[in-house]
Amino acid sequence: MANCIVQYKRKIRLINDYPGYRYMGPGGKFIHVFLPKMVKSGLEDSAKWDSKHEDCVRYGWEVISNVNLRFSQPKFHISDPRILNQMMTISRSKFPKPHHIYKVLDIYGINVVSTEGSLWARHRRISSPAFSESMAQLAWEQTIRIVEEMFDTDWDKHGDQVSLGRVEEPLKEITMLVIMAAAFGHVDDWIPTKALLSGHAMTFRDSLQLVLRNWLLLGIFPRFIWGSGQNRKDMRPGALAAGGWLGKRMQETAVSYAELGKYMREMVHNYQLGSVEVKRERRDVFSVLTAAIESEKENTQMTMDEVFGNMFVFLLAGHETTAHTLAYVFGLLALEEDEQNRLLDHIKGIVGERELEYADFTKLDRVMGVMYEAMRLFPPVVNIPKYSTEDAYFMVDPALSEEELTDPTLSEERRTRQKEVFIPKGSEIGINTPALHYN
């Protein structure tokens, strides 16, 4: 215990007692010291959302330190936009992401999220062209088609008023169907119409839905549960989970994991058998990435597992985040009817009585503004982890409350003075999104 105290004091001196959290003794959040890292990270993220910008104001600065008995180095929570701009652009290589924590996402293979350095650069270079104007137009067309089908089937029978228990549920279904079409080129209707294909235990839609729902189980449980190495390579479900020995949820997770992998392998095979003309006409993400399997240049080449790995993270990143952002948009518009009417008038002023066209997209700036504001108020991600590869110094701006910002008597010195923060090599860094958005 004496050594812990000595190390704790050393870490405080190392950063010149820069203001922030101190978890040393009883009281406050001392219990966090003894919690598993995954649980502690979740609680810390929840605390960031609860406090938003308030802790920055309390400590006086847009960077907050965090010295804890369990941390080998101090941690830093940053909401200073000027510092973050430098970290994310000019000095990006000095502040990489701790890619080891993203290994939980390597369910089908390594990907642009779980890699860093030159490997990340290759994945990004190959995958970026997939998010093209033609893919965006495909997503636009599919969204309109799916929503109109939902209106014609589910909503018409309810008359003038539709009551939803949880607005995010139909939104999750919409985003999944859009992703199926824009990401995989697999078009399905609002009311499922695809028959179960021979040799499969689930439809593509069901397997995708279940993998997205249960992906964390696939990431945190040992791989042997889902089958032997050969089983996973062949995309056959593992006997332990698929046999029902670990419960129904683990069983459906194992089967859906194998089924989705099997469908993706069949899609690759069908794409490779297609003509050059057909390949050129494809606009979905999967086709662009699959073309990288056939590339003869090493810097533009991907393995099949890498294609699957990237497709999975794109699905995961775009599914619930989009659905929940839209849920917040509708909730906020319902609360602010004047804004809802202004938005409707804006759309009518551009579209009139005709159907929406993709060319309208850039004109709907008020719609974009509503989306941006919803994501500012309710950011999908509350913490973006980084770490420092070398000692770094930054000048930090003061954190001012709304009262201080509107106080005409507040001195110029208080508004503009800065404080130096020293970030030692190896320090964990968290980009505090709620604090940044509420700054």
Side-chain angles (χ1 to χ4, degrees):
M1 187 63 185
N3 183 56
C4 287
I5 295 172
V6 169
Q7 293 301 317
Y8 173 80
K9 296 291 186 183
R10 183 194 63 80
K11 286 181 278 189
I12 292 175
R13 286 196 303 273
L14 179 64
I15 61 170
N16 301 313
D17 199 13
Y18 184 88
Y21 310 116
R22 301 290 183 265
Y23 300 151
M24 170 62 186
K29 299 173 183 175
F30 180 59
I31 187 64
H32 285 200
V33 173
F34 303 102
L35 292 173
K37 189 163 187 176
M38 182 175 284
V39 176
K40 183 152 57 42
S41 296
L43 291 171
E44 286 177 359
D45 288 352
S46 178
K48 284 178 182 177
W49 166 246
D50 290 339
S51 66
K52 299 180 179 64
H53 194 240
E54 292 173 5
D55 281 359
C56 296
V57 172
R58 179 153 63 96
Y59 289 108
W61 304 99
E62 296 295 356
V63 175
I64 300 174
S65 69
N66 184 345
V67 180
N68 189 307
L69 276 173
R70 278 188 66 178
F71 299 155
S72 58
Q73 287 279 55
K75 290 177 67 174
F76 295 89
H77 308 281
I78 302 178
S79 57
D80 188 312
R82 185 178 47 78
I83 295 175
L84 291 176
N85 182 55
Q86 186 172 342
M87 281 186 171
M88 302 288 277
T89 56
I90 303 168
S91 305
R92 188 190 179 282
S93 61
K94 297 176 183 176
F95 300 98
K97 63 174 178 272
H99 61 91
H100 63 277
I101 70 173
Y102 294 106
K103 291 303 176 185
V104 70
L105 299 176
D106 289 348
I107 290 169
Y108 285 103
I110 61 172
N111 51 72
V112 72
V113 176
S114 67
T115 54
E116 193 54 281
S118 60
L119 190 55
W120 169 85
R122 178 171 65 83
H123 279 253
R124 186 177 185 276
R125 183 170 56 251
I126 296 170
S127 60
S128 290
F131 298 92
S132 61
E133 190 76 10
S134 61
M135 193 280 289
Q137 184 170 354
L138 176 61
W140 172 281
E141 293 164 358
Q142 291 301 316
T143 302
I144 291 175
R145 178 187 68 82
I146 292 160
V147 171
E148 286 182 344
E149 284 183 7
M150 181 184 71
F151 289 157
D152 292 342
T153 54
D154 281 8
W155 287 37
D156 272 3
K157 59 189 177 187
H158 292 289
D160 295 335
Q161 191 171 26
V162 177
S163 178
L164 296 173
R166 294 175 64 89
V167 71
E168 69 270 24
E169 292 307 320
L171 291 172
K172 279 196 255 185
E173 193 72 15
I174 291 168
T175 53
M176 189 188 71
L177 288 170
V178 172
I179 288 171
M180 281 172 59
F184 287 102
H186 188 98
V187 177
D188 202 351
D189 299 322
W190 178 252
I191 301 298
T193 56
K194 300 286 185 182
L196 183 64
L197 297 179
S198 175
H200 284 276
M202 284 182 183
T203 64
F204 176 76
R205 181 172 179 168
D206 287 342
S207 64
L208 180 60
Q209 194 170 44
L210 287 169
V211 166
L212 288 172
R213 184 187 302 165
N214 299 322
W215 71 270
L216 194 55
L217 294 176
L218 291 164
I220 63 176
F221 278 94
R223 288 300 176 93
F224 71 82
I225 285 178
W226 313 114
S228 66
Q230 188 60 42
N231 268 358
R232 291 197 301 276
K233 186 176 179 181
D234 297 338
M235 290 303 168
R236 296 197 304 266
L240 190 60
W245 297 97
L246 302 176
K248 184 178 179 182
R249 179 143 184 208
M250 294 289 279
Q251 183 179 34
E252 69 176 16
T253 302
V255 175
S256 61
Y257 166 65
E259 285 291 306
L260 182 58
K262 191 174 179 181
Y263 274 114
M264 288 195 287
R265 286 183 183 276
E266 290 171 358
M267 288 177 187
V268 169
H269 180 68
N270 292 336
Y271 175 86
Q272 291 174 335
L273 291 177
S275 66
V276 174
E277 291 74 19
V278 170
K279 290 178 181 179
R280 282 175 182 163
E281 290 174 3
R282 292 283 296 265
R283 294 181 286 168
D284 55 279
V285 178
F286 192 79
S287 297
V288 175
L289 294 186
T290 301
I293 297 174
E294 300 176 328
S295 175
E296 296 177 358
K297 297 180 181 178
E298 189 176 343
N299 65 342
T300 59
Q301 195 177 66
M302 272 189 180
T303 66
M304 193 178 294
D305 285 346
E306 288 174 333
V307 170
F308 294 172
N310 280 290
M311 286 305 301
F312 171 72
V313 295
F314 295 152
L315 286 167
L316 188 64
H319 181 230
E320 289 202 5
T321 51
T322 304
H324 283 109
T325 296
L326 288 169
Y328 283 123
V329 166
F330 291 133
L332 291 167
L333 289 173
L335 291 170
E336 302 287 344
E337 288 194 48
D338 288 344
E339 285 298 327
Q340 184 180 154
N341 292 331
R342 288 191 193 100
L343 184 63
L344 186 58
D345 290 341
H346 168 69
I347 296 169
K348 285 181 176 178
I350 293 169
V351 179
E353 298 300 318
R354 62 177 173 80
E355 294 292 318
L356 271 170
E357 299 171 356
Y358 184 65
D360 298 322
F361 180 70
T362 55
K363 303 171 189 174
L364 297 167
D365 50 2
R366 194 175 189 90
V367 178
M368 187 67 79
V370 168
M371 293 294 292
Y372 280 155
E373 181 64 357
M375 286 192 287
R376 184 190 73 80
L377 293 170
F378 299 96
V381 177
V382 298
N383 180 61
I384 303 172
K386 298 278 184 182
Y387 71 95
S388 177
T389 60
E390 58 183 59
D391 291 346
Y393 293 87
F394 291 103
M395 297 305 297
V396 184
D397 287 334
L400 304 175
S401 65
E402 288 189 33
E403 292 75 16
E404 287 178 305
L405 286 168
T406 56
D407 182 1
T409 66
L410 191 70
S411 68
E412 189 66 19
E413 191 271 338
R414 172 72 181 98
R415 292 177 187 273
T416 60
R417 69 190 173 106
Q418 293 183 316
K419 184 177 181 67
E420 185 178 72
V421 60
F422 169 58
I423 300 180
K425 179 181 178 179
S427 297
E428 291 183 37
I429 295 166
I431 298 175
N432 189 339
T433 313
L436 177 66
H437 286 194
Y438 283 81
N439 183 339

